Amino acid sequence: MSSNKNKNNLMDKIVSLCKRRGFIFPSSEIYGGLTSCWDYGPLGAELKRNLKDFWWKAMTRSRNDIEGLDAAILMHPQVWHTSGHVAEFNDPMIDCKTCKARFREDKLEESQCGRKPSKKPTECGGELTEARQFNLMFKTFMGPVEDSSSVIYMRPETAQGIYVNFLNVKNSSRQKIPFGIAQIGKAFRNEITPGNFTFRTREFEQMEMQFFVHPSEDEKWFEYWREERWKWYEELGINMAKLRWHEHGPDELAHYAKSAYDVEYEYPFGWQELEGVHNRTDFDLGRHMKATKKDLRYQDDRYKEKFIPYIIETSAGCDRTLLTLLVDGYDEVEIKGEIRVFMRLSAKVAPIKAAVLPLVKKEGMPEYAIKVHEELKKKFKLFYDESGAIGRRYARMDEAGCPFCITIDGDTLIDNTMTVRDRDSMEQTRMTVEEIEDFLDKKIND
Ligand code: GAP
């Protein structure tokens, strides 16, 4: 079997595990699904919430210099003219005259023929059209009249909500430059070629932070944020050998950026962008200032003159980071002739932190286990399971990414200790319920 086939096979296995265990389901599945749209199931919803909390804590709560924001998805349509998205947020699109499939010109190499997915476009003999510019913003209408005056856009990035609130946040929080504004929220792009499960979708969530600095300090802060974001992935437990930086060349730079680096991850389908760190200069505030005639310049007693702050942006995809956790955590191990699947998620973000399992369904063990579950679930998301052989129950939890299993056995009833099994080392340590509480707290929060 070729390595490529193996790699495709890996994505199939992850998609199937996600469905089986309740991480991610196809959207509107009973209607046949909707291309590129996905729903997060019970485990996926917990994982996503934990991931967002992990980002929010690192980017806002643990710092004095970043404020949070939750701006509306629908914004004044003029915002998108001013930001340059109406004119420039385009991808070059080409069509196959034979099979009518549509491709992004810059992703042609990665695309598959519409009729023969084993072939690349043109390999099947089809002829391609010239490239045309295709704007990626979703449009809809605001209010009861559907004409050009009521056109409104679904935001393609959360960043603009931050820029238009720059003055509001600065004045209400009394932050001084350098400071940042962070936001997590949905963004929409009418992608020409969505795909690779949740990697490129038309509806997705971003975790973005805009850091406002004096123009003379832009490069210093750009480097600072590259380092911070790199450390964040390390703390998240990603295999760092699978991450790298990619610097944007002049032909790749977005219309607003002076310099940009992507954090890339090595997915089964190749190295791809996970997060962008951009030096957006005074482009955004400058444009909004000109369009609105509102003074968005900054001044305090440290500076002689007013200036338009430069912006260093860190822009991560929430769904894409979640997919990265799943790809990175997926592992298969042969145990006693059987292939066992492990989802090695860090305890910090794992949807279920521990399972509480009575060894057998008798001799007072379930009653004891229920009490342990009730006690610990006040602090942690746990799962109680008494059905089936203990090995099967461990296996189910391993696939669900649960880092610890707490087993109540005969000795528990004598000395009040129970085993805590570590999913990755498979080691079992006896602890009391108080010790388990401390142990879980450290593993999740330290
Ligand atoms: N505000 C800057 C900005 O939006 P971007 O590089 O276009 O920059 C930032 O997007 C991040 O958003 C990407 O690194 C990726 O993680 C995520 N993202 C972008 N388009 C996406 C899509 N179609 N599906 C899933 N995630 C996407």
Side-chain angles (χ1 to χ4, degrees):
M1 203 188 277
S2 78
S3 63
N4 231 353
K5 254 192 170 165
N6 269 329
K7 285 176 178 175
N8 290 337
N9 193 255
L10 175 58
M11 282 313 289
D12 291 344
K13 285 177 180 175
I14 290 171
V15 174
S16 145
L17 181 145
C18 282
K19 171 96 197 285
R20 187 167 71 244
R21 288 284 163 229
F23 281 99
I24 302 173
F25 308 128
S27 161
S28 330
E29 194 182 10
I30 58 171
Y31 283 90
L34 179 65
T35 314
S36 108
C37 294
W38 302 92
D39 297 342
Y40 289 86
L43 292 190
E46 281 290 335
L47 177 58
K48 201 174 196 193
R49 189 169 286 263
N50 294 343
L51 175 60
K52 287 194 266 187
D53 284 350
F54 190 70
W55 185 89
W56 192 254
K57 195 171 160 199
M59 300 298 278
T60 68
R61 295 208 176 128
S62 67
R63 307 185 59 107
N64 300 325
D65 56 355
I66 302 186
E67 302 290 339
L69 182 75
D70 188 357
I73 288 174
L74 300 177
M75 300 179 71
H76 194 295
Q78 195 55 45
V79 168
W80 304 108
H81 290 274
T82 306
S83 68
H85 283 81
V86 173
E88 292 179 65
F89 195 51
N90 301 321
D91 272 343
M93 173 185 80
I94 49 179
D95 293 305
C96 174
K97 290 183 186 168
T98 314
C99 70
K100 311 289 179 223
R102 202 151 258 194
F103 309 106
R104 251 173 80 170
E105 189 190 29
D106 56 338
K107 299 276 175 198
L108 210 52
E109 269 304 296
E110 300 160 27
S111 306
Q112 295 165 320
C113 165
R115 273 206 194 136
K116 294 185 181 146
S118 59
K119 299 202 165 176
K120 302 235 163 282
T122 69
E123 265 180 19
C124 63
E127 197 191 329
L128 299 179
T129 61
E130 290 292 310
R132 284 174 293 144
Q133 291 303 324
F134 174 77
N135 192 280
L136 297 182
M137 278 197 296
F138 275 99
K139 279 187 206 161
T140 185
F141 301 97
M142 182 106 144
V145 183
E146 296 194 1
D147 64 16
S148 58
S149 67
S150 62
V151 166
I152 195 150
Y153 302 95
M154 312 278 278
R155 68 179 177 200
E157 60 169 13
T158 65
Q160 299 299 326
I162 294 181
Y163 307 144
V164 300
N165 276 295
F166 170 68
L167 281 186
N168 283 336
V169 176
K170 176 179 80 68
N171 294 339
S172 58
S173 67
R174 297 171 51 234
Q175 284 281 1
K176 289 198 152 109
I177 266 174
F179 79 93
I181 306 177
Q183 158 158 250
I184 299 176
K186 291 259 182 183
F188 302 83
R189 294 183 190 176
N190 201 1
E191 298 281 1
I192 300 166
T193 44
N196 286 322
F197 196 22
T198 57
F199 179 81
R200 187 174 292 110
T201 51
R202 295 188 170 120
E203 171 183 344
F204 55 95
E205 262 180 293
Q206 290 186 313
M207 307 186 287
E208 296 200 302
M209 193 281 301
Q210 316 294 322
F211 206 71
F212 302 89
V213 303
H214 189 274
S216 65
E217 296 196 324
D218 64 334
E219 278 164 27
K220 176 180 110 185
W221 285 107
F222 187 66
E223 283 315 309
Y224 170 85
W225 279 110
R226 279 185 56 204
E227 276 171 34
E228 285 297 298
R229 296 305 300 146
W230 190 257
K231 275 193 264 167
W232 185 80
Y233 287 105
E234 218 164 3
E235 281 160 22
L236 188 58
I238 300 279
N239 173 4
M240 298 307 279
K242 290 197 159 244
L243 281 190
R244 71 178 185 193
W245 284 108
H246 165 73
E247 183 179 6
H248 281 212
D251 53 331
E252 287 171 280
L253 279 177
H255 60 273
Y256 48 72
K258 168 178 156 188
S259 50
Y261 276 81
D262 290 340
V263 178
E264 289 189 337
Y265 181 83
E266 190 180 18
Y267 297 93
F269 42 88
W271 286 95
Q272 296 283 345
E273 172 186 345
L274 174 55
E275 163 159 1
V277 181
H278 311 128
N279 181 348
R280 292 181 75 132
T281 68
D282 57 1
F283 177 89
D284 301 279
L285 289 186
R287 297 269 292 237
H288 287 304
M289 180 163 149
K290 201 164 161 214
T292 60
K293 314 261 183 303
K294 296 270 183 308
D295 190 357
L296 302 181
R297 288 174 301 166
Y298 179 90
Q299 192 177 27
D300 67 35
D301 32 357
R302 291 170 298 168
Y303 306 104
K304 275 201 212 103
E305 284 174 10
K306 281 187 163 186
F307 60 91
I308 302 174
Y310 269 37
I311 292 170
I312 307 302
E313 167 181 66
T314 70
S315 177
C318 178
D319 307 80
R320 207 172 270 187
T321 310
L322 193 150
L323 176 66
T324 310
L325 286 169
L326 295 172
V327 168
D328 204 58
Y330 186 92
D331 193 15
E332 291 179 353
V333 181
E334 196 182 323
I335 300 175
K336 295 183 189 149
E338 191 194 340
I339 299 291
R340 290 268 313 277
V341 174
F342 290 79
M343 182 50 78
R344 302 196 190 280
L345 297 174
S346 146
K348 291 179 172 137
V349 289
I352 298 170
K353 306 301 182 190
V356 180
L357 316 169
L359 183 63
V360 288
K361 221 168 145 181
K362 53 186 180 187
E363 293 162 19
M365 290 181 214
E367 291 77 4
Y368 195 108
I370 287 166
K371 276 199 206 139
V372 169
H373 181 234
E374 289 302 315
E375 183 55 32
L376 292 175
K377 91 169 199 245
K378 291 179 197 154
K379 275 186 94 172
F380 312 105
K381 171 78 183 161
L382 300 182
F383 183 73
Y384 177 80
D385 189 5
E386 58 177 32
S387 61
I390 190 74
R392 283 283 124 221
R393 280 182 276 160
Y394 284 151
R396 281 201 293 264
M397 297 322 297
D398 292 339
E399 263 203 354
C402 174
F404 306 107
C405 287
I406 302 164
T407 307
I408 285 77
D409 56 19
D411 288 347
T412 313
L413 304 173
I414 299 165
D415 65 5
N416 289 315
T417 66
M418 47 222 104
T419 62
V420 177
R421 169 186 175 273
D422 182 306
R423 176 199 61 210
D424 299 334
S425 67
M426 297 257 202
E427 270 173 26
Q428 304 205 10
T429 315
R430 293 201 80 85
M431 297 185 207
T432 63
V433 74
E434 292 79 20
E435 286 167 340
I436 295 176
E437 189 175 327
D438 281 353
F439 171 84
L440 289 180
D441 205 32
K442 282 204 181 78
K443 292 283 179 187
I444 298 162
N445 298 316
D446 274 4

